[in-house]
Amino acid sequence: GAVAGALEAGASAAPCTARGVQRDLLCAAQRRRLAAAAPRSAAVAAVLLLLGEVARPRRVGAAARGVARAGARGGWKKKAPAVAILDSQSVKSAYHRGVRGRDGGKKILGRKRHLAVDSLGLLLKVAVSAANLQDRAGARLVAPELLRRHRRLRTFYVDGGYHSAPLAAELRALAPGRDVRWEIVRRAPHAKGFAVLPKRWLVERTFGWLSHWRRLAKDYEVRTDSSEAMIYLASTKLLLQRLTR
């Protein structure tokens, strides 16, 4: 009650600045009122657990995503995605207990975020695991549920780390009537330095969008489902920004 009242009071006070909206889930005025109303961390933890319960069905913003897709290009795009782009991002974790591992390639001790986005870069699904989980194993946490949820989905664009004939066969078996394609997008053989890769840049742009939230700069959560809830929350705000343009 006190926490909710503090948040409502913060919302009715002076509006957040543009920079605060982009970087923080709460503006400075709301944080000060929340700190005064809930000096103990237990009250704040209860709010974070509530966010996890809301995001657990993995459908936060699903309806808004369809509207955002329909309005993005004058309404010509279908609301249901036909392609998905997968990639992963290893981030350091704070010094707390919980699941974590070491990504040997990037030399990062922490967790790995497995993201799937549509052709507009809007989030379809996220899964958080220890950083030592291979990309192919992380794809099994994301791709099968996407095929079950989105009936028009046929094509996945991934990088070389996801190359796996058994994984592609498993996905085709899940949707035998759809001719599921597992496309590996590779760099040109003679490319030097930075090069924008077709399709894959979409998910990299989404990672850039999410990096605007200070809460997502590291993984500060003890539980992986809380980490996923924070990413879904940030993604929902991106959808709302697109809808209010």
Side-chain angles (χ1 to χ4, degrees):
V3 176
L7 291 177
E8 291 177 1
S12 60
C16 303
T17 62
R19 183 175 182 274
V21 169
Q22 291 178 356
R23 297 188 58 87
D24 296 317
L25 299 178
L26 301 177
C27 67
Q30 290 173 330
R31 289 199 303 273
R32 286 194 295 269
R33 286 171 173 78
L34 182 61
R40 294 183 300 173
S41 60
V44 181
V47 176
L48 294 180
L49 289 176
L50 177 61
L51 290 178
E53 292 296 329
V54 171
R56 183 162 289 114
R58 273 63 174 174
R59 294 180 180 177
V60 174
R65 186 191 309 111
V67 180
R69 285 181 58 85
R73 303 285 179 84
W76 66 270
K77 274 189 173 293
K78 298 288 186 181
K79 293 184 180 181
V83 302
I85 304 96
L86 272 65
D87 203 357
S88 64
Q89 179 191 49
S90 295
V91 294
K92 295 180 179 179
S93 60
Y95 295 100
H96 54 61
R97 58 187 177 86
V99 175
R100 60 178 164 178
R102 183 175 183 80
D103 186 337
K106 298 180 180 177
K107 305 294 189 281
I108 290 179
L109 178 63
R111 291 176 178 170
K112 185 176 287 188
R113 297 165 180 165
H114 308 272
L115 255 69
V117 302
D118 62 11
S119 58
L120 298 178
L122 303 178
L123 184 65
L124 294 174
K125 180 170 172 56
V126 62
V128 177
S129 68
N132 58 350
L133 188 71
Q134 294 292 328
D135 288 347
R136 293 184 295 273
R140 289 185 169 89
L141 303 176
V142 176
E145 183 175 342
L146 288 179
L147 283 176
R148 288 189 290 266
R149 185 187 304 172
H150 303 288
R151 299 299 182 182
R152 294 185 66 249
L153 184 59
R154 293 174 180 270
T155 307
F156 293 90
Y157 291 102
V158 295
D159 61 19
Y162 291 89
H163 179 67
S164 172
L167 174 59
E170 290 177 18
L171 296 178
R172 293 190 188 99
L174 284 176
R178 272 189 269 175
D179 188 24
V180 176
R181 298 164 53 196
W182 190 254
E183 297 286 342
I184 309 296
V185 181
R186 302 183 185 277
R187 286 173 57 91
H190 304 292
K192 294 183 179 179
F194 174 77
V196 178
L197 299 179
K199 303 297 182 182
R200 279 176 49 189
W201 69 270
L202 291 163
V203 66
E204 298 294 345
R205 182 181 63 176
T206 303
F207 281 127
W209 286 341
L210 295 177
S211 68
H212 293 166
W213 274 264
R214 184 164 30 184
R215 183 79 182 210
L216 301 180
K218 278 187 178 183
D219 197 311
Y220 293 100
E221 314 303 327
V222 175
R223 297 166 37 166
T224 56
D225 57 346
S226 296
S227 300
E228 295 170 4
M230 284 295 170
I231 297 173
Y232 279 118
L233 187 63
S235 151
T236 302
K237 185 173 183 300
L238 291 172
L239 291 172
L240 293 175
Q241 287 177 336
R242 183 180 291 266
L243 290 172
T244 54
R245 284 178 183 175

